[in-house]
Amino acid sequence: MTGGCMCGAVRYEAPEPHAIVYCHCESCRKHTGAVVATLVGYIKNEIRWIGDERKIYLSSPDIKRGFCKKCGTPLTWEGHVKELGGDLIEVFISTTDNPDVLIPSFHIWHDERIKWFDIADDLPRYHGWAHDGSKPYSHGPILKGSIR
Ligand SMILES: [Zn+2]
Ligand SMILES: [Zn+2]
């Protein structure tokens, strides 16, 4: 798997990801400017970075958000998740060179979604994190065709 920012200054190579998830949290939405962020997850050292070093913004004391300092493309969420075995790094799916083959499997932080937005899949939706023992509260859109 390969990818990079819009201008090509920051590039990366990575193996098969461990998880591909939709994240509806406000911080991911702010960082990307999108209605939902889709993240491709790795253990920190599995990604090999090439070219310019990404710039890091701390969105909270232990969460890093990486971006290209030349073109501004949001690239990563980086943080420590004990339940998943340590330091994780996730790249935003549309920075990969072939997002067609990376298919998400669930939605996290669905409670923070933009209220008129949902996706017509049957994937599990979690109120918050999925890996803290939580159970999904829905399998499929909760809006049922309504925008309210
Ligand atoms: Zn760039
Ligand atoms: Zn998020």
Side-chain angles (χ1 to χ4, degrees):
M1 229 247 334
T2 57
C5 65
M6 182 180 265
C7 77
V10 182
R11 296 283 303 164
Y12 59 82
E13 292 176 355
E16 289 293 306
H18 300 284
I20 303 164
V21 304
Y22 291 109
C23 185
H24 296 263
C25 86
E26 185 178 7
S27 295
C28 283
R29 292 191 289 99
K30 278 283 185 200
H31 186 208
T32 60
V35 291
V36 62
T38 310
L39 298 154
V40 182
Y42 295 96
I43 308 294
K44 186 183 171 104
N45 294 329
E46 291 177 326
I47 297 188
R48 190 169 83 87
W49 293 93
I50 303 153
D52 284 11
E53 206 163 308
R54 64 203 180 281
K55 186 119 173 123
I56 298 292
Y57 172 74
L58 291 176
S59 61
S60 60
D62 51 357
I63 301 297
K64 296 175 183 171
R65 296 191 175 262
F67 59 97
C68 172
K69 60 179 180 277
K70 283 195 180 125
C71 69
T73 300
L75 288 159
T76 59
W77 177 98
E78 303 175 43
H80 188 86
V81 180
K82 201 167 52 194
E83 294 84 352
L84 297 181
D87 289 321
L88 303 186
I89 185 163
E90 304 190 305
V91 296
F92 294 114
I93 195 166
S94 291
T95 67
T96 68
D97 292 336
N98 190 11
D100 289 345
V101 302
L102 300 167
I103 300 169
S105 53
F106 53 91
H107 297 260
I108 59 173
W109 294 101
H110 206 241
D111 284 4
E112 290 188 19
R113 76 192 185 283
I114 296 177
K115 293 305 175 213
W116 47 255
F117 181 75
D118 212 336
I119 296 175
D121 63 34
D122 291 327
L123 299 176
R125 280 135 170 89
Y126 293 86
H127 291 299
W129 290 115
H131 293 288
D132 60 357
S134 302
K135 297 268 182 282
Y137 77 104
S138 176
H139 287 77
I142 62 169
L143 297 172
K144 304 297 183 204
S146 165
I147 62 160
R148 305 257 182 256

